[in-house]
Amino acid sequence: MTATLLSTWRFTDDQLAAIAARAPGYRVRQVTAGTGAEVDAALAAHPDTEILYTGAAPTSDTAPAALRWIQLHSAGTDAVQAQPAWHWPVALASGSGITSIAVAELTLAGILILRRRMIELIALQQERHWPAERLALAGGELYGSTALLVGYGSVGRAVGRLLHTAGIHLQVAVDDPQRRGYSGYTAPQSGDPDGLLPHRWHHTDDLPELLPLADMVVLCRPPRPRPLIGAAELTAMRPDALLVNIGRGTLVDSQALVTALTAGHLTGAYLDVADPEPLPTDSALWTAPRCLITPHLAGTTRQAGHHGADLLTTNLSRWHAGQPLLNLVNGRDTP
């Protein structure tokens, strides 16, 4: 009997056709589901589902009998870990790498906006004002500067590749500097899977010594129990440095960041994540000087589905070849 490959994340018709072409022997079905309960309902309506591609975690206590593998669209697994599905006897792979290119591109854009003082320049355009002292708003080049990447997974490596291309020296701080390779999903001609681009690798515990040396600090790692960047760390950073947070909002002490920006310490900050999310309307971050905020959408592009389809079909080939799935997070990968 033909099994079903079910997607509850919305692919385009072209992307679904591409998946079907690389999934012989499967019925490819799509039922858009934005909540766990809706995913449960979609699985119940397709009891022969062998492979589930989803952006939301199922909430049922029991795994469907035919289900063998869940491919997440999201890089994070927090939502699944909070549900019984984390313990289901099925393979579970994350979507790490799907959004890395998109996040990296918006990160570079945010850095350029701040470094070239585009916030002030856009305000002048809205005022229809050509300042007499316009050269004072010239900003600075990225070439020859130093970036400290805190975290070097799929997103960090995509960011590192773009920054390296711009002539920026890369320093990397990770929890295990000896593990330099990355075996997860990497879109063709992106990232740095072999870890060859950084000039130096450091331990995360070395941040106090590293922060004063960086022109920009990019946070692209999972959260810790306490903020990684607080008042002491912000004080240690150079006054002309940039702070970028594309990891988790809890990595940065928001009030300490507001204080530093208000005092004129730091050239600026770009935040695609916040704590909490959505960021409340009364948060002081909204009006902090030289603070650029995007609402956690750095990884959201029209091409995200293309990368998701590529990961899904790549893993499908590996699945039937008896090879380990890319981004496997629970060790259950036997077809």
Side-chain angles (χ1 to χ4, degrees), residues 225-297:
R226 64 176 185 83
L228 195 64
I229 302 295
E233 289 75 19
L234 291 166
T235 300
M237 291 176 62
R238 291 167 39 181
D240 60 347
L242 299 176
L243 176 67
V244 177
N245 189 6
I246 50 174
R248 289 291 188 272
T250 53
L251 289 173
V252 177
D253 182 326
S254 297
Q255 185 53 56
L257 177 58
V258 170
T259 299
L261 290 169
T262 303
H265 190 70
L266 300 186
T267 292
Y270 168 48
L271 312 174
D272 184 57
V273 290
D275 180 33
E277 292 185 1
L279 189 63
T281 56
D282 60 353
S283 171
L285 284 171
W286 288 116
T287 55
R290 304 173 309 285
C291 187
L292 177 63
I293 299 173
T294 51
H296 204 155
L297 52 64

Side-chain angles (χ1 to χ4, degrees), residues 29-271:
R29 298 288 184 265
Q30 180 164 271
V31 179
T32 304
T35 68
E38 291 172 343
V39 174
D40 293 340
L43 286 169
H46 296 82
D48 58 347
T49 296
E50 182 176 293
I51 299 170
L52 171 66
Y53 187 98
T54 183
T59 61
S60 174
D61 289 333
T62 306
L67 189 66
R68 306 291 300 283
W69 159 33
I70 298 175
Q71 176 63 61
L72 298 174
H73 181 78
S74 61
T77 60
D78 309 34
V80 185
Q81 291 184 41
Q83 299 295 339
W86 182 253
H87 303 287
W88 285 359
V90 302
L92 181 65
S94 79
S96 180
I98 291 175
T99 64
S100 297
I101 293 174
V103 175
E105 289 181 353
L106 196 55
T107 298
L108 178 58
I111 290 171
L112 282 168
I113 286 170
L114 292 168
R115 182 62 73 193
R116 296 304 301 267
R117 304 181 67 169
M118 290 301 298
I119 294 176
E120 295 144 287
L121 294 174
I122 290 171
L124 288 171
Q125 179 182 351
Q126 292 173 336
E127 297 169 4
R128 304 185 182 188
H129 177 55
W130 191 288
E133 298 299 327
R134 61 186 179 85
L135 297 183
L137 297 171
E141 296 181 359
L142 299 183
Y143 182 85
S145 59
T146 296
L148 173 61
L149 302 182
V150 185
Y152 206 58
S154 63
V155 169
R157 290 165 195 260
V159 172
R161 183 182 177 108
L162 291 185
L163 298 186
H164 176 78
T165 302
I168 297 173
H169 301 284
L170 302 181
Q171 302 283 328
V172 167
V174 294
D175 292 340
D176 184 359
Q178 301 306 313
R179 295 183 59 184
R180 302 191 177 185
Y182 177 73
S183 59
Y185 172 72
T186 301
Q189 297 183 328
S190 74
D192 178 27
D194 295 322
L196 301 177
L197 298 181
H199 288 72
R200 292 285 301 277
W201 290 72
H202 309 271
H203 196 282
T204 310
D205 291 344
D206 297 331
L207 277 182
E209 294 78 33
L210 300 173
L211 290 172
L213 307 177
D215 296 291
M216 61 198 76
V217 177
V218 183
L219 307 178
C220 41
R221 57 155 295 142
R224 280 190 160 193
R226 64 176 185 83
L228 195 64
I229 302 295
E233 289 75 19
L234 291 166
T235 300
M237 291 176 62
R238 291 167 39 181
D240 60 347
L242 299 176
L243 176 67
V244 177
N245 189 6
I246 50 174
R248 289 291 188 272
T250 53
L251 289 173
V252 177
D253 182 326
S254 297
Q255 185 53 56
L257 177 58
V258 170
T259 299
L261 290 169
T262 303
H265 190 70
L266 300 186
T267 292
Y270 168 48
L271 312 174

